[in-house]
Amino acid sequence: MPRVTTYALRNASPAKTRADAVVVGVVAGPKGPRLCDAAADVSTAYGRRLRPFLSTMGVTGRAGEAVRTPSRDEVNAPLLVFVGLGEDPADPIAVRRAAGVAARNVPNAASVALALPSETPELVAAVVEGHRLGGYTFTTYKSAKSETTEPNDVVVLTGIARRADAVAALERAEVLADAVALTRDWVNTPPRDCTPPLLAELVTAAHKEVTKGRGAPEVGLEVFDHEQLAEMGCGGILSVGDSSDAPSRLVRLTWAPRDAVAHLALVGKGVTFDSGGLTIKPSSSMVHMKGDMAGAASVVAATLAIARLGLPVKVTAFAPMAENMVSGTATRPGDVITMRNGSTVEIANTDAEGRMLLGDALSLAVEEAPDLLVDIATLTGHMQLALGDKVGAVMGTDAEVEVVLAAGRAAGEQHWPMPIPEEMKERISASKVADLLQHDWVRWGGGLYASAFLREFTGGLPWAHLDIAGKEINTGGAYGHVPAGATGFGVTTLVEIARSLAEGPTGD
């Protein structure tokens, strides 16, 4: 998304701040709504009129609420916007969501002042990140000009505006928001314009933008084409991509700071469109399959963000890219594929293609001997059925699952642990002609089966698998800081994993 808005911190009164719109947070409570502490002088300006005024306007403070009203003499702005914080104004997740709601309720305001909870650096970051992402739009393919415009200037009103840690929190939030927005842009892009070669070009362009100029981070970039993948023995990637006229690609990014204290390997599934192959999907199931590359987009964006933040963690990221189509060169059920690590796999369902890409990419990552291996993928509908469209599934080695869950909590993304039962080992080994069976037609536990399959390519390393199927695209209306369309789910969790490795197990 184009960057046109400038964010700043200011220690000032919301009632006296000049702006086109002033946003104030409202806390819900058993005695009725009240304005948050950051808007205390607005409460003073209204005095006894505030409670009946809020009641008349229907303001309750519930999360997701936004009420706009022209101001009189109470604030120095023509528009006053009340946004609900829920019952806990100190919760960064609630504040992030409220800031996102605020961003969609200040149309055509050139300048906006945000009087939301911002007493700590964490809350400052939540306000900035939420507002940036809540106002995200994707208009590349719109012929008509939008009737609303982004503000030029947004001021976060906070008593800690001059503190270095608050300024650093704002800067970090903008880097994270850039990464999430980049992921959203790529996932929103139509599949005709985001084939594997074109996605690799988009990654190359983003890499160039991040690494240009004095003081920019040094991030290595390698793009492997079809011929190179064949030479590398990446049969899994090619078994999917050879069905398409658009040849497969593999992108590798490397961030290797001299002061690195740990090595993180990231792998993301990059199926740029998934028709299901010869095991073709129903037409209704193809509608959002441009988002099947969200895992690859996430690891690329997260790696670039980690580098921009200068985190002392080496990151090696692999983004395998392929298009799963129907053709005379498509893989057939019953084919046996040799993977990068030498394992042979019998194909049973060409619509279970993501694990083939990931198997090769995980094998390449294992060869780098990282301290932690994390993959992210829109892998199985089973996990979407189990957890819905807002909660990701996490599987892997026990300690690493806990690392991801903690990172998700810190990043404000919801994840839930799922098991890999021992009986899955027997199911994935049931092929009579190959080492592994890519899929079986047992109706139950398909997401657990897929995780057990991936585990075969992790080399026994500490590993976590994030299944974000159904989370990559919001098919409903906007909520919190999440718009309709691509969400960028998982990016902030990946960055937080790197930050937790940088801090070490004790947080020192």
Side-chain angles (χ1 to χ4, degrees):
M1 106 179 142
R3 200 59 231 302
V4 298
T5 302
T6 300
Y7 285 79
L9 305 181
R10 185 183 302 167
N11 187 356
S13 158
K16 297 178 182 179
T17 297
R18 284 191 175 184
D20 293 329
V22 171
V23 175
V24 298
V26 184
V27 183
K31 296 183 179 180
R34 64 175 178 85
L35 302 193
C36 68
D37 292 345
D41 69 337
V42 177
S43 296
T44 301
Y46 273 92
R48 294 181 179 180
R49 294 179 295 124
L50 180 60
R51 187 176 294 275
F53 177 74
L54 294 179
S55 177
T56 299
M57 297 298 297
V59 177
T60 66
R62 64 176 175 79
E65 178 182 76
V67 177
R68 294 181 289 181
T69 179
S71 67
R72 298 177 182 176
D73 300 325
E74 296 84 8
V75 299
N76 195 16
L79 179 65
L80 185 59
V81 183
F82 298 98
V83 294
L85 292 162
E87 297 181 357
D88 185 3
D91 180 6
I93 295 176
V95 172
R96 185 182 293 108
R97 292 172 178 171
V101 172
R104 293 190 294 276
N105 282 276
V106 286
N108 300 317
S111 58
V112 177
L114 301 175
L116 296 170
S118 53
E119 297 85 0
T120 67
E122 292 76 17
L123 290 174
V124 167
V127 171
V128 174
E129 185 183 334
H131 195 271
R132 278 269 331 261
L133 294 176
Y136 171 91
T137 58
F138 184 75
T139 59
T140 303
Y141 294 86
K142 294 280 190 180
S143 56
K145 296 292 184 181
S146 173
E147 296 181 359
T148 61
T149 58
E150 294 184 21
N152 296 320
D153 300 291
V154 175
V155 175
V156 180
L157 303 175
T158 173
I160 62 171
R162 294 175 181 246
R163 280 173 40 177
D165 56 354
V167 175
L170 181 149
E171 293 171 349
R172 286 195 301 271
E174 294 205 87
V175 170
L176 286 174
D178 284 342
V180 175
L182 180 64
T183 302
R184 289 177 179 178
D185 283 348
W186 290 347
V187 174
N188 277 326
T189 299
R192 181 184 293 274
D193 295 336
C194 197
T195 60
L198 293 176
L199 178 55
E201 290 179 10
L202 290 172
V203 172
T204 301
H207 170 269
K208 182 178 180 180
E209 184 67 24
V210 167
T211 58
K212 72 179 181 181
R214 180 177 298 179
E218 296 181 7
V219 181
L221 169 68
E222 298 171 273
V223 180
F224 300 94
D225 61 20
H226 181 280
E227 289 72 22
Q228 291 170 306
L229 291 171
E231 292 173 2
M232 294 160 62
C234 292
I237 298 172
L238 298 180
S239 73
V240 178
D242 282 354
S243 64
S244 172
D245 289 338
S248 302
R249 292 288 186 269
L250 173 73
V251 171
R252 169 178 161 153
L253 292 171
T254 306
W255 161 244
R258 293 180 180 178
D259 59 345
V261 297
H263 183 187
L264 170 66
L266 299 175
V267 174
K269 171 187 170 184
V271 176
T272 60
F273 185 77
D274 182 15
S275 71
L278 293 181
T279 317
I280 194 167
K281 294 179 182 290
S283 58
S284 61
S285 298
M286 289 191 208
V287 174
H288 299 294
M289 282 300 105
K290 67 179 182 179
D292 215 16
M293 39 63 73
S298 297
V299 300
V300 170
T303 301
L304 295 177
I306 291 165
R308 289 182 63 191
L309 293 170
L311 295 180
V313 174
K314 180 179 179 180
V315 179
T316 309
F318 294 90
M321 303 169 183
E323 189 174 47
N324 191 22
M325 301 296 280
V326 178
S327 71
T329 57
T331 294
R332 299 153 175 80
D335 282 346
V336 174
I337 306 299
T338 301
M339 307 290 285
R340 163 73 181 184
N341 72 349
S343 298
T344 56
V345 178
E346 180 185 2
I347 302 298
N349 178 357
T350 62
D351 195 23
E353 82 298 332
R355 64 199 69 180
M356 301 300 289
L357 271 70
L358 293 173
D360 279 345
L362 286 168
S363 298
L364 289 166
V366 166
E367 294 169 19
E368 301 295 320
D371 299 305
L372 173 60
L373 174 59
V374 177
D375 76 80
I376 181 169
T378 50
L379 201 63
T380 67
H382 297 84
M383 288 306 170
Q384 183 176 2
L385 288 171
L387 298 175
D389 60 0
K390 295 180 179 66
V391 181
V394 186
M395 290 144 280
T397 48
D398 291 344
E400 286 60 47
V401 168
E402 290 302 319
V403 167
V404 174
L405 295 175
R409 287 190 293 270
E413 294 186 325
Q414 299 181 83
H415 303 277
W416 193 258
M418 300 294 278
I420 307 178
E422 280 305 309
E423 57 265 28
M424 291 299 163
K425 177 69 175 178
E426 181 178 349
R427 283 175 59 179
I428 65 172
S429 304
S431 171
K432 294 180 173 57
V433 296
D435 300 327
L436 297 170
L437 183 63
Q438 171 239 17
H439 178 272
D440 68 10
W441 292 101
V442 176
R443 190 175 177 185
W444 320 114
L448 312 182
Y449 182 104
S451 301
F453 181 89
L454 294 181
R455 185 173 57 185
E456 296 298 305
F457 300 91
T458 62
L461 292 177
W463 160 70
H465 160 60
L466 283 69
D467 191 334
I468 62 168
K471 269 61 71 176
E472 76 284 5
I473 294 179
N474 172 22
T475 59
Y479 60 90
H481 60 294
V482 179
T487 65
F489 185 91
V491 174
T492 54
T493 294
L494 296 179
V495 176
E496 184 62 28
I497 290 171
R499 190 200 61 77
S500 69
L501 290 176
E503 292 190 350
T506 63
D508 295 336

